[in-house]
Amino acid sequence: MLSACSGGDDTDADQATSTGDAGAATTDAAAATASPDEASATAEPTEESTQGVLSIGEAETIANDVLTAAAKSTQSDGESAASDMEAGFAGPALEAAKAADKLEKVEGEPASIDLIANPIDANVLAISRDDGETPAIILAQTVPGSGIPELHLLVSQDGNEDFKVVWTAPQLPGTEVGSFDRRTAGTPVVRSGGGDFSTTPGTALNELADYVDYPINPIAEVRTNGFAPEVRANALTQAKDVEVQADFVERNEVIPGNTVTLYLEDGSGVTFAVLDRESTFTVKEGMELTPPETFTTFVDDESLTESATLEAYVFVAMTIPVEEGKPSLIAAGEQIIGASGE
């Protein structure tokens, strides 16, 4: 289990250590700001001349409060759940949370969480450097009851006020985040350009998106730690299940304006992004599809004769090497957020 560092300043505990050897693949989640290809770190000043946008204690308090609101939203209904979602999430993460709440009647209630006996105890891994630009960023890690570490990206566009979770996903088996600069000195954020890496975050993310499309694309220059084979197997199963009635295609695209890239201590990077996945069934002439409850939760249509599309957000995090090697997927989670059809 992780040990969260408490409030202090410049101590050996300043450089938080993430929990390694993470657990299994996909769940639901959420995203960030900046854009896929847009990353250039601030020139590397000496550590003594830099500082994080928040103290360690402030960042830990914010992360625990916001993640507590996010967790509470899964345990309540109606106006109470909506209020907690708005307090905890923003952007695609908020859309994903609302969709997950809507799908509870189909997929079942989430596991019960006793936030009094087991309060959120987030491990703050990184605090963005005070470079005079927005957004301000906190990267936190938690280990829920499943034992699978989860990463959470919190951002503030408003002078370090009103932080919200914009991206969250479980780590993939055997992955590690890596080490950031000391939290008191702050972590450089890629603000524009492609960053000083072996490839740009935008290129790596687009390759990942193409790699998990169906029909299957050639092997890409990215490692997915078991994620791509799982996604491809699921797509193949769906295609075979409906092959008599419909043709199946699945496409993934990086959502622009929702990518954040942070520099790691060794000059490599970790980028957080959201893919928009559309799974489309084109009904063959003279046939019809009877959609599952997952579909009819969003579209009140029991019979489809033309097409059906399920839309999901896929929250991904990838490490980007500084010189040699392939970008590597370290976290991924997905959530159906809508549907359409006729």
Side-chain angles (χ1 to χ4, degrees):
M1 297 291 283
L2 59 85
S3 58
C5 305
S6 62
D9 281 352
D10 260 327
T11 66
D12 290 338
D14 185 1
Q15 193 169 59
T17 302
S18 64
T19 298
D21 212 9
T26 61
T27 68
D28 84 277
T33 62
S35 62
D37 234 345
E38 289 162 9
S40 96
T42 332
E44 285 296 320
T46 62
E47 185 172 293
E48 290 74 16
S49 68
T50 69
Q51 63 179 17
V53 293
L54 299 164
S55 72
I56 298 170
E58 289 171 330
E60 288 178 338
T61 297
I62 290 169
N64 287 332
D65 288 349
V66 174
L67 290 171
T68 295
K72 284 173 63 180
S73 73
T74 68
Q75 305 296 298
S76 54
D77 297 300
E79 291 183 5
S80 178
S83 176
D84 288 330
M85 283 182 210
E86 294 287 346
F89 297 108
L94 179 57
E95 288 184 66
K98 289 179 176 179
D101 183 63
K102 195 171 185 178
L103 284 166
E104 283 182 8
K105 62 184 180 182
V106 177
E107 299 179 344
E109 299 283 335
S112 178
I113 304 172
D114 187 343
L115 291 169
I116 296 176
N118 300 290
I120 299 295
D121 188 14
N123 183 15
V124 172
L125 301 180
I127 301 167
S128 61
R129 182 165 291 175
D130 188 359
D131 58 7
E133 298 191 46
T134 57
I137 294 163
I138 299 169
L139 176 64
Q141 183 190 58
T142 59
V143 180
S146 66
I148 300 169
E150 294 183 355
L151 299 176
H152 314 274
L153 198 70
L154 291 76
V155 305
S156 167
Q157 298 282 4
D158 186 20
N160 302 344
E161 300 291 333
D162 201 26
F163 275 85
K164 300 288 178 66
V165 175
V166 295
W167 183 102
T168 184
Q171 287 180 238
L172 295 170
T175 63
E176 294 184 353
V177 182
S179 298
F180 296 92
D181 286 352
R182 293 170 67 87
R183 293 171 296 175
T184 47
T187 290
V189 181
V190 175
R191 300 293 188 186
S192 62
D196 298 321
F197 310 119
S198 62
T199 186
T200 67
T203 298
L205 291 165
N206 286 328
E207 288 223 4
L208 172 66
D210 290 344
Y211 189 34
V212 293
D213 281 350
Y214 183 88
I216 292 171
N217 282 319
I219 292 176
E221 290 299 308
V222 295
R223 291 192 172 93
T224 70
N225 291 302
F227 179 71
E230 181 178 342
V231 172
R232 290 177 167 195
N234 289 340
L236 181 59
T237 297
Q238 290 187 79
K240 287 185 174 179
D241 285 347
V242 299
E243 61 184 351
V244 173
Q245 297 97 344
D247 295 318
F248 177 74
V249 173
E250 194 161 80
R251 293 287 179 260
N252 298 267
E253 292 186 355
V254 181
I255 300 178
N258 288 274
T259 298
V260 165
T261 304
L262 306 177
Y263 272 85
L264 290 161
E265 185 183 29
D266 64 1
S268 62
V270 56
T271 190
F272 304 85
V274 187
L275 308 183
D276 188 355
R277 174 183 295 158
E278 290 193 346
S279 304
T280 301
F281 303 81
T282 302
V283 182
K284 296 178 180 179
E285 187 174 354
M287 306 299 291
E288 73 174 40
L289 281 178
T290 301
E293 281 188 88
T294 304
F295 184 92
T296 56
T297 297
F298 298 99
V299 179
D300 187 17
D301 194 339
E302 300 291 339
S303 178
L304 302 167
T305 57
E306 297 293 333
S307 66
T309 298
L310 280 171
E311 183 179 10
Y313 284 161
V314 186
F315 299 88
V316 297
M318 300 182 74
T319 52
I320 313 291
V322 64
E323 291 180 351
E324 298 180 355
K326 294 182 178 181
S328 181
L329 190 67
I330 61 168
E334 58 189 59
Q335 175 63 51
I336 293 172
I337 58 99
S340 60
E342 54 185 341

